[in-house]
Amino acid sequence: MNRLPPEKRKQVVACLVEGNSIRATVRMTGVAKNTVTKLLVDLGTACSIYQDSAMRDLSCERIQCDEIWAFCYAKKRNVPEDKRGQFGYGDVWTWVGMDADTKLVASYRIGSRDTEDAAEFMRDLAGRMKHRVQLTTDGYAPYLMAVPNAFRDEIDYAMLVKIYGTATKEEQRRYSPAVCLGQDKQPKIGSPDPGHISTSHVERQNLTMRMSMRRFTRLTNAFSKKIENLAAAVSLHFAYYNFCRVHTTLGTTPAVAAGVTDHVWTLGDLIGLLEAAEATPIKRGSYAKTRAVKRAAEISE
């Protein structure tokens, strides 16, 4: 089977994680479009599997959560009649849970912005924490059921509800938010520290995502055509962000700061997750890849 040389793989991945589209990556590296897409999907899947295994028993203290919008195949209003209501066509939301201290993205979920996905996201996040944490979300109503169902009483939880003025038509057209007039800190469970009721860090992560993944850029023609490609791109982004990209204020990567790994990963280490998976006979597209997870963990040590 033909396979890209390691250096060429690094070139492709370096382009993708720095916010370039697939077509731009093709122009810069000379690698065929289908090959770039296949590498993205395969590596993104390997990253998803590894992070699911590695992000366990986290000693986080303050978690912030938010949801970021994107679309797949077409914007909601342009989705053909026969595809409307099907996940992967139209609006897609990425739920993000971030440690405010180490900047580690501990959990993420790609889905719809509804009660079911809120519940699944919170259950996943709760299962990764080692001890009681303080959690802050925005005022989205489904959190009010999802958080207590996932964490029970073992959490200090608050909502930060921002109060906006009325956006003008020009502001709406330019995707500019209305003027923020203030914020309301609303403790919901336990005794959250008022000084740490904030969503600033995770909202800043939204910008990082839009800058680092071309398909998340506003007013772009580089949007995902398949939900599998979007999921792979998000998984690759967070793996690179957590393990490879040195955070300026930390002086190291979030994964090192959080104790998930003991060294800053190179792109070679990241691609090693895929190489380990390729060496293991597994069914393509399956997420029950326990042997691949073990091999990926071994190669990263």
Side-chain angles (χ1 to χ4, degrees):
M1 179 177 65
N2 293 330
R3 182 181 298 177
L4 284 177
E7 287 304 314
K8 186 62 73 171
R9 279 187 167 187
K10 288 182 183 179
Q11 290 179 18
V12 171
V13 174
C15 291
L16 294 175
V17 298
E18 290 298 341
N20 292 288
S21 67
I22 287 182
R23 290 186 182 277
T25 300
V26 168
R27 292 192 295 269
M28 288 187 287
T29 64
V31 177
K33 179 184 174 183
N34 288 344
T35 303
V36 172
T37 303
K38 182 178 184 302
L39 177 59
L40 168 65
V41 172
D42 290 347
L43 180 55
T45 301
C47 289
S48 175
I49 295 166
Y50 178 76
Q51 289 184 101
D52 181 57
S53 174
M55 299 296 178
R56 300 287 176 179
D57 293 324
L58 300 175
S59 299
C60 304
E61 296 184 1
R62 287 175 287 274
I63 299 292
Q64 300 177 6
C65 295
D66 199 12
E67 323 85 53
I68 180 172
W69 171 84
F71 68 95
C72 187
Y73 186 82
K75 286 189 175 181
K76 184 177 180 179
R77 65 175 179 270
N78 297 326
V79 173
E81 190 69 34
D82 62 326
K83 292 180 170 59
R84 290 183 181 176
Q86 300 180 43
F87 178 64
Y89 298 92
D91 294 349
V92 178
W93 292 82
T94 302
W95 304 72
V96 181
M98 182 180 187
D99 180 3
D101 298 309
T102 65
K103 309 303 182 292
L104 182 80
V105 173
S107 177
Y108 60 92
R109 178 178 178 82
I110 297 148
S112 302
R113 194 172 185 252
D114 56 21
T115 302
E116 181 180 351
D117 277 288
E120 290 294 334
F121 171 62
M122 279 299 157
R123 276 196 290 268
D124 181 76
L125 180 64
R128 299 181 186 280
M129 298 297 111
K130 189 174 184 179
H131 50 64
R132 188 184 187 102
V133 299
Q134 176 166 328
L135 173 67
T136 306
T137 70
D138 57 22
Y140 187 45
Y143 284 125
L144 293 173
M145 291 184 60
V147 173
N149 286 342
F151 289 91
R152 304 303 175 185
D153 294 326
E154 297 301 315
I155 192 170
D156 298 308
Y157 170 53
M159 278 184 164
L160 183 71
V161 180
K162 293 187 177 180
I163 303 169
Y164 291 98
T166 303
T168 65
K169 290 184 178 180
E170 179 63 20
E171 287 173 332
Q172 293 175 350
R173 188 179 68 82
R174 293 186 291 107
Y175 291 96
S176 297
V179 176
C180 183
L181 303 178
Q183 55 187 21
D184 183 18
K185 297 181 179 181
Q186 302 177 359
K188 297 296 181 181
I189 303 174
S191 302
D193 182 350
H196 293 289
I197 298 177
S198 172
T199 55
S200 297
H201 294 97
V202 71
E203 288 173 358
R204 176 59 180 80
Q205 171 61 212
N206 288 349
L207 175 61
T208 300
M209 292 177 67
R210 294 206 184 279
M211 295 293 290
S212 300
M213 287 182 282
R214 189 69 177 89
R215 63 194 68 224
F216 272 75
T217 305
R218 298 283 195 179
L219 301 177
T220 181
N221 62 356
F223 59 89
S224 295
K225 312 308 185 291
K226 297 180 180 179
I227 191 63
E228 293 83 0
N229 295 357
L230 177 63
V234 171
S235 295
L236 174 59
H237 164 74
F238 282 129
Y240 179 77
Y241 169 85
N242 280 332
F243 291 92
C244 301
R245 181 173 170 174
V246 174
H247 198 284
T248 304
T249 58
L250 296 174
T252 187
T253 63
V256 173
V260 178
T261 185
D262 59 2
H263 66 284
V264 176
W265 285 22
T266 64
L267 280 179
D269 294 327
L270 192 65
I271 295 170
L273 299 177
L274 175 58
E275 294 173 348
E278 289 174 335
T280 306
I282 51 181
K283 182 179 178 181
R284 180 178 174 84
S286 172
Y287 279 78
K289 303 179 179 180
T290 55
R291 287 178 293 172
V293 170
K294 292 179 181 178
R295 290 288 300 277
E298 292 170 359
I299 199 169
S300 67
E301 293 177 352

